[in-house]
Amino acid sequence: MNQYNLERRTLGNANLFLTRMNLVAPMPDLQFSPQSSVYVAVPLYKELENAERLFQAWYSQDLPRTINGEILFVVNNRSNPDTETYENNRQTFDLLSRLSSQNGRDNSGIHIVDKFSAGNAFPSGTYIGNVRNLTNTLVVKHAYGTGKNGIILSTDADCFPSQNVIARLHGLYLDKESVY
């Protein structure tokens, strides 16, 4: 199979997955910068204690002006959570939203996605893999539409990056035309 067919099949699979997931738990239409080349996906579930440190760690990345990054914080939950879980996720979402609005930055887009509240939460039986897959699908669809290669870093809310991890990751793939 040649590279074009593989990329086309990958996009078709991404669109199919996105369609299926939207039937289960609709996702927002995220507005990514067309210049973005690095995407960081961070799902959060009951992570209030880590949220501020996590935000600051990703927000304070040393990015050269040639690298544009997008950071997606996806606060997630299954339907019908207990009160303590819901409250933790609500406070996490509010804190991240407040930090994001206070700390705008030219070369980085920060997206706080609500997948925890009523009407937005994943149904029971949905696990972290679905959250990662859905976030990655949105990124793949965007990157493919721009005609540019992109790098997706999927990590956890209790992992705090070094200050230059995005630049280092970007450097590993800088000369690559495709990873297929």
Side-chain angles (χ1 to χ4, degrees):
M1 178 177 296
N2 67 31
Q3 178 181 337
Y4 173 76
N5 286 336
L6 184 58
E7 288 176 352
R8 225 175 118 169
R9 191 170 83 188
T10 300
L11 182 62
N13 289 340
N15 281 329
L16 177 62
F17 180 79
L18 190 58
T19 300
R20 288 180 179 166
M21 287 303 291
N22 269 326
L23 293 174
V24 173
M27 286 295 287
D29 183 23
L30 301 177
Q31 300 300 312
F32 295 118
S33 166
Q35 287 78 36
S36 292
S37 57
V38 179
Y39 305 86
V40 179
V42 186
L44 295 99
Y45 175 75
K46 297 195 312 188
E47 294 289 348
L48 182 59
E49 67 186 57
N50 291 328
E52 185 166 5
R53 179 177 171 209
L54 181 69
F55 180 89
Q56 294 303 335
W58 285 110
Y59 175 77
S60 63
Q61 289 290 300
D62 284 335
L63 294 178
R65 293 188 88 45
T66 57
I67 299 175
N68 289 313
E70 305 275 349
I71 302 166
L72 294 82
F73 294 106
V74 182
V75 182
N76 65 89
N77 203 55
R78 289 180 215 103
S79 295
N80 305 317
D82 59 73
T83 304
E84 181 182 330
T85 299
Y86 178 83
E87 188 58 26
N88 184 294
N89 285 336
R90 187 193 61 74
Q91 289 177 20
T92 300
F93 182 83
D94 291 347
L95 174 63
L96 291 171
S97 296
R98 188 172 60 254
L99 290 169
S100 180
S101 67
Q102 292 171 353
N103 295 292
R105 181 160 114 184
D106 290 342
N107 63 340
S108 179
I110 297 176
H111 307 275
I112 316 298
V113 180
D114 171 3
K115 293 306 296 172
F116 73 94
S117 65
N120 291 322
F122 289 104
S124 296
T126 303
Y127 298 99
I128 190 64
N130 293 99
V131 176
R132 291 187 195 287
N133 288 342
L134 184 55
T135 304
N136 292 344
T137 299
L138 291 169
V139 171
V140 167
K141 187 175 177 182
H142 164 75
Y144 189 81
T146 66
K148 293 175 54 177
N149 287 328
I151 300 166
I152 303 170
L153 173 60
S154 185
T155 186
D156 290 320
D158 58 355
C159 297
F160 304 99
S162 64
Q163 203 166 9
N164 64 349
V165 71
I166 291 177
R168 290 180 58 212
L169 179 67
H170 186 265
L172 292 173
Y173 294 95
L174 193 59
D175 298 340
K176 306 289 187 237
E177 189 173 307
S178 177
V179 293
Y180 290 106

